[in-house]
Amino acid sequence: MTLASDTAPRHDWRLDEIQALFALPFNDLLFRAQQVHRAHFDANAVQVATLLSIKTGACPEDCKYCPQSGHYNTGLGKEKLLEVERVVEQAAAAKAAGASRFCMGAAWRSPRERDLDVVLEMVKRVKALGLETCMTLGMLDGEQADRLAAAGLDYYNHNLDTSPEYYGEIITTRGYAERLETLGSVRQAGMKICSGGILGMGEAPSDRAGLLQQLARLDPHPESVPINMLVKVPGTPLADVDDLDPIDFVRAIAVARILLPKSHVRLSAGREQMSESTQALAFLAGANSIFHGDTLLTTENPAVARDRALFDKLGLHPEQPLYYDASAARTAEPA
Ligand code: SAM
Ligand code: DTB
Ligand code: SF4
């Protein structure tokens, strides 16, 4: 039996403790994760966020997973920063489709001064629609973080991506310590943190444990934790890496739920390539957030209609039920 004290946030998880969770029989692990999940959340509610790439391609960083890195030829052109009006239109459409949060991403190492002014305007306008705002623009210094916070930005996404040990295999142009510094600036500015990583990049099981240990060390924990399954994009160095077993992916979600009891754990990139059964197991393991909309930043996400059908099938409902009320729909059905 899990005591309530077992679900209080901890920041001192040891690697061997985390590895012991990964080694539990699958049913025991999912049972523990469900207990933690139900102590803090409505087990059938899923937060719905929509993504938009506001500046696509030709990024100077060399992240080996990323279709937007200028170091690899993935067929993506270099696009300019979108106009504010286009972003507001997309945000309004996302809201109408049921999103409660709008996440804007740019393929930058860090924002330039003249771009930041435009981005601040986007934050104000999207927030005025009544949506939560999130941005992911690369590294931020303290002043940039303060300006984004003052414009009303609710969340900043900046992923640790993998363990400190495996990180150098994946990215050479930006260090782990720099990522932690950006997260420090975001916290200092008073914004909420969205930080997670990618699984299925050829990492060892200990790297999955190491990533989650690093995320749990952040104090307070990140409010949002996106767990991405690598989307293998032709032209990137990771295009042909071996698939991660979906059961190992679900185990990682369950361990994330146990280590980060009050955080929203987002089943992020990779759902288009995932079976409904794997997604259902991920929700059972404690994932309670998704990206909704036909595209992520540059790659495909399940169609909106498919996600609605999956929610209905599983009896899930959006955390803020804007587009429909699944429970009402079910009770309205003939017996
Ligand atoms: N350029 C900014 C940065 O990296 O800080 C923000 C955008 S970047 C595309 C946001 C995150 O998307 C990355 O940190 C990575 O975790 C995730 N991502 C990028 N390409 C991916 C892929 N092919 N599969 C899964 N996740 C991916
Ligand atoms: C995150 O962790 N996943 C999202 C969001 N944060 C910005 C991005 C996923 C990108 C997948 C590859 C693409 O579509 O370009
Ligand atoms: Fe650039 Fe971000 Fe892609 Fe890395 S993940 S190449 S920083 S867009």
Side-chain angles (χ1 to χ4, degrees), residues 68-89:
Q68 303 201 68
S69 168
H71 295 255
Y72 320 120
N73 187 0
T74 61
L76 275 183
K78 179 181 181 169
E79 288 178 20
K80 286 204 280 242
L81 179 59
L82 289 187
E83 285 169 23
V84 176
E85 292 307 326
R86 300 288 85 74
V87 174
V88 175
E89 281 167 20

Side-chain angles (χ1 to χ4, degrees), residues 20-305:
L21 289 175
F22 271 100
L24 283 172
F26 189 72
N27 288 351
D28 291 344
L29 175 60
L30 260 67
F31 182 64
R32 270 193 72 168
Q34 262 290 308
Q35 283 178 308
V36 174
H37 192 70
R38 284 167 186 270
H40 298 286
F41 292 101
D42 170 350
N44 302 307
V46 176
Q47 181 188 68
V48 173
T50 292
L51 263 178
L52 177 68
S53 180
I54 57 170
K55 193 269 159 193
T56 305
C59 182
E61 305 286 305
D62 70 352
C63 313
K64 285 199 173 73
Y65 50 75
C66 187
Q68 303 201 68
S69 168
H71 295 255
Y72 320 120
N73 187 0
T74 61
L76 275 183
K78 179 181 181 169
E79 288 178 20
K80 286 204 280 242
L81 179 59
L82 289 187
E83 285 169 23
V84 176
E85 292 307 326
R86 300 288 85 74
V87 174
V88 175
E89 281 167 20
Q90 296 283 325
K95 185 176 177 186
S100 60
R101 189 179 304 173
F102 195 64
C103 308
M104 295 157 268
W108 289 328
R109 174 174 168 78
S110 58
R112 292 177 305 183
E113 190 56 34
R114 67 170 181 272
D115 293 325
L116 195 62
D117 289 335
V118 181
V119 157
L120 295 173
E121 184 62 19
M122 289 175 186
V123 173
K124 289 181 196 151
R125 296 279 308 278
V126 172
K127 209 175 159 67
L129 295 174
L131 284 159
E132 286 184 317
T133 51
C134 178
M135 288 205 155
T136 179
L137 314 170
M139 292 189 288
L140 294 183
D141 62 28
E143 197 199 321
Q144 291 172 323
D146 288 344
R147 290 175 65 193
L148 285 163
L153 187 63
D154 298 302
Y155 288 79
Y156 196 78
N157 166 248
H158 199 64
N159 289 341
L160 293 179
D161 276 350
T162 188
S163 69
E165 292 74 23
Y166 196 57
Y167 184 88
E169 299 290 322
I170 302 295
I171 301 146
T172 69
T173 50
R174 163 195 300 178
Y176 214 81
E178 288 176 291
R179 290 196 182 240
L180 291 168
E181 271 171 35
T182 291
L183 293 178
S185 301
V186 171
R187 253 316 166 221
Q188 189 71 33
M191 287 182 285
K192 293 181 187 136
I193 288 182
C194 172
S195 188
I198 311 179
L199 309 184
M201 298 195 293
E203 73 280 352
S206 61
D207 295 310
R208 293 192 275 280
L211 166 68
L212 297 178
Q213 181 188 35
Q214 289 296 321
L215 292 168
R217 280 181 63 173
L218 299 172
D219 187 4
H221 286 159
E223 284 77 5
S224 282
V225 178
I227 304 291
N228 298 278
M229 177 77 110
L230 175 71
V231 179
K232 297 187 213 176
V233 179
T236 61
L238 295 181
D240 298 318
V241 76
D242 285 344
D243 280 340
L244 178 66
D245 187 318
I247 295 295
D248 288 330
F249 181 82
V250 172
R251 280 182 181 280
I253 297 268
V255 175
R257 166 50 62 225
I258 294 166
L259 264 52
L260 302 154
K262 294 184 176 176
S263 307
H264 278 85
V265 174
R266 185 173 306 130
L267 178 56
S268 301
R271 288 197 305 115
E272 174 66 10
Q273 293 75 20
M274 229 173 251
S275 69
E276 285 195 341
S277 309
T278 301
Q279 293 185 61
L281 281 175
F283 293 129
L284 189 65
N288 61 346
S289 179
I290 57 162
F291 284 123
H292 189 55
D294 300 356
T295 36
L296 292 163
L297 289 173
T298 66
T299 65
E300 280 183 35
N301 200 40
V304 164

